[in-house]
Amino acid sequence: MSIHPLVVDLDGTLIRTDMLHESALKVLRDGPCNILRIPFWLARGKAALKRRLADRTLFDPASLPYNHELLDWLKQQRTQGRKLILCTASDLSIATAISDHLGVFDEVMASNGINNLAGKHKAEALEQRFGPAGFDYAGNSRADLPVWQSARRAIIVNASTDLIQKAKAFCEVEQIFPSPSINLNSLRRVLRAHQWLKNLLLFVPLFAAHQFTNLGAWPALILAFFSFSLCASSVYIVNDLLDLESDRLHPRKCNRPFASGVVPVWMGVALAPLLLLVSLGLGQQAGGTFLPWLEFYFVLTCAYSFGLKRLILLDCLTLAMLYTLRIISGASAAGLGLSYWLLAFSVFMFLSLAFVKRYAELEVQLLNGKQQAHGRGYYTSDAPLVQTLGITSGYAAVLVLALYLNSEAVVKLYRTPECIWGAVPVMLFWISWMWMQAHRGNMHDDPLVFAVKDKASLLSGIAFAGVLAIGTMGWPW
């Protein structure tokens, strides 16, 4: 066994993220006006910036996405008597907290608010501490090349083939830990492409008005669909970046690309505005008043991500409005008017689904022994009240549907309006079924995603569509 100490980098090596990026995101989330302060902090040096950010953020070391393969190897090295040093460009307070949590490092070296311990500065500090070729070093980036040049051996983590070859030119490579691959599936998960199904709601006004043969409206609606989908993906990325710690504490959300560290945070920061720009370009082409509604949707979702999602009740009301905005935007793109009945039904229905989502999250937290949902304003003891509010909202939507069936609009739109009454028991069943599944702990984080995969929900959808079709065309016999 080597008597040489093993020096380990933190960002991108021991953890699959960068603490500078995460600290900056948390500071911006908690105080968006801090974006004006960051340039002044940076003017005093990168180490000073890291210290300011670290002083303004709290984090849970246990929730970070560690490279467990590397960590297990480090523990094995330590049991064999090897001295381990955590050496990072992150601020000393962050590095110390992580070291204390893991309990495997004998020493910590980090940026101290004055000196930024990265690249050549890290190499010089280590060479001064252990002498030339007096240590082995585990790193992951081009900034580590000067350190490997001063090291005896290299342990290369999450690096490209090109970087591995360059490190081999400086010193012997002892171990290589491959990086997780970023593929099309990773991109699909980043965009949450499955959530694009929600944007089919843009087509609801066209079908509700029985204008599905209006060929002139379809091109605008298709453009609106992709515009809305890209905008939604942009917001999902922002939401994931601002909610990293909460997602990591969730049993399923911890596997999301940014929370797990499969996709680095900086990629999300670059991708979100790009998606938004493409979305706005498509929205401009959709015509009508679609673009202002799209912009309002974006502003409201940002408000939700930055603060509204942490306010009880307002979070669910906002979610209901975001769903309803899809229907309003679809009507705007197609140049159709919206009825009071459709809007009222949508608000109550989506409010019920928003409460389903929150109730399911509270049930998960309750099973994990938590008293409060992390990043939300709810206590787990609120679950029964949330359930009551949600069921009431769902039944209110059915009541609106029943009252609509007695209106003059039904007589004008449907050949056999009496058949439409069959939609009422179908909706009653589906609302009750969704809440029964939530109560039993079977609900997905997103009720609409659950409904698309659930056989009973799909059969309810087919039955609902069948009733409307019979009401429109009359009995087939």
Side-chain angles (χ1 to χ4, degrees), residues 336-354:
L336 298 172
L338 275 175
S339 71
Y340 158 82
W341 297 107
L342 180 58
L343 285 175
F345 174 79
S346 300
V347 169
F348 283 115
M349 175 60 65
F350 295 134
L351 182 59
S352 180
L353 294 179

Side-chain angles (χ1 to χ4, degrees), residues 405-417:
L405 297 180
N406 196 40
S407 68
E408 295 181 1
V410 173
V411 177
K412 294 179 181 179
L413 288 173
Y414 297 95
R415 182 177 299 179
T416 53

Side-chain angles (χ1 to χ4, degrees), residues 374-405:
H374 190 276
R376 301 292 185 267
Y378 295 89
Y379 296 97
T380 51
S381 58
D382 294 329
L385 179 58
V386 171
Q387 183 183 46
T388 301
L389 293 172
I391 295 173
T392 303
S393 300
Y395 284 0
V398 179
L399 177 61
V400 171
L401 175 63
L403 293 173
Y404 165 71
L405 297 180

Side-chain angles (χ1 to χ4, degrees), residues 85-101:
I85 294 94
L86 180 61
C87 186
T88 174
S90 287
D91 190 73
L92 181 61
S93 61
I94 291 176
T96 302
I98 292 173
S99 176
D100 291 343
H101 167 71

Side-chain angles (χ1 to χ4, degrees), residues 5 83 85 107 109 123-132 134-135:
K83 186 176 181 180
I85 294 94
E107 188 178 337
M109 298 173 66
E124 292 170 359
L126 289 173
E127 197 168 312
Q128 183 178 2
R129 174 75 171 78
F130 301 108
F135 62 95

Side-chain angles (χ1 to χ4, degrees), residues 26-272:
K26 286 183 181 180
V27 167
L28 293 176
R29 180 196 66 188
D30 297 336
C33 291
N34 284 320
I35 195 171
L36 302 175
R37 298 178 179 177
I38 289 179
F40 294 98
W41 296 340
L42 183 58
R44 300 179 182 178
K46 205 168 183 179
L49 171 66
K50 293 175 180 178
R51 173 55 56 89
R52 292 296 185 101
L53 293 175
D55 289 343
R56 285 165 171 77
T57 56
L58 297 175
F59 75 102
D60 180 8
S63 70
L64 293 174
Y66 291 97
N67 188 329
H68 291 287
E69 185 181 359
L70 173 64
L71 188 56
D72 291 341
W73 183 75
L74 291 176
K75 291 177 180 178
Q76 181 184 10
Q77 297 295 304
R78 192 170 194 267
T79 59
Q80 295 176 3
R82 201 168 187 182
K83 186 176 181 180
L84 302 182
I85 294 94
L86 180 61
C87 186
T88 174
S90 287
D91 190 73
L92 181 61
S93 61
I94 291 176
T96 302
I98 292 173
S99 176
D100 291 343
H101 167 71
L102 294 176
V104 298
F105 292 102
D106 300 288
E107 188 178 337
V108 174
M109 298 173 66
S111 299
N112 57 10
I114 300 174
N115 298 316
N116 185 42
L117 204 63
K120 293 182 180 179
H121 297 293
K122 181 185 288 190
E124 292 170 359
L126 289 173
E127 197 168 312
Q128 183 178 2
R129 174 75 171 78
F130 301 108
F135 62 95
D136 299 336
Y137 180 72
N140 72 296
S141 70
R142 293 182 182 276
D144 295 316
L145 288 174
V147 187
W148 280 318
Q149 194 169 6
S150 300
R152 185 182 71 104
R153 289 180 179 173
I155 295 88
I156 305 176
V157 186
N158 300 335
S160 64
T161 303
D162 178 61
L163 183 61
I164 293 173
Q165 294 303 318
K166 289 183 178 180
K168 286 181 177 179
F170 292 135
C171 61
E172 178 187 349
V173 175
E174 178 179 349
Q175 191 89 1
I176 296 176
F177 294 88
S179 61
S181 59
I182 301 177
N183 48 33
L184 288 177
N185 184 54
S186 301
L187 179 61
R188 178 189 62 80
R189 293 173 60 208
V190 165
L191 298 178
R192 292 204 219 173
H194 64 283
Q195 299 280 13
W196 289 12
L197 288 171
K198 296 177 184 178
N199 300 324
L200 293 175
L201 291 171
L202 275 80
F203 296 88
V204 167
L206 191 72
F207 285 91
H210 292 194
Q211 295 290 316
F212 36 84
T213 58
N214 181 1
L215 299 180
W218 281 94
L221 280 172
I222 292 173
L223 280 173
F225 172 81
F226 285 105
S227 173
F228 222 96
S229 297
L230 293 177
C231 180
S233 291
S234 174
V235 175
Y236 287 141
I237 290 173
V238 172
N239 190 61
D240 286 350
L241 293 177
L242 297 177
D243 225 13
L244 287 172
E245 194 166 26
S246 295
D247 286 350
R248 287 168 182 159
L249 295 174
H250 194 279
R252 289 188 294 269
K253 294 180 181 180
C254 63
N255 295 317
R256 287 178 173 173
F258 296 116
S260 63
V262 172
V263 179
V265 167
W266 69 264
M267 284 191 180
V269 174
L271 185 58

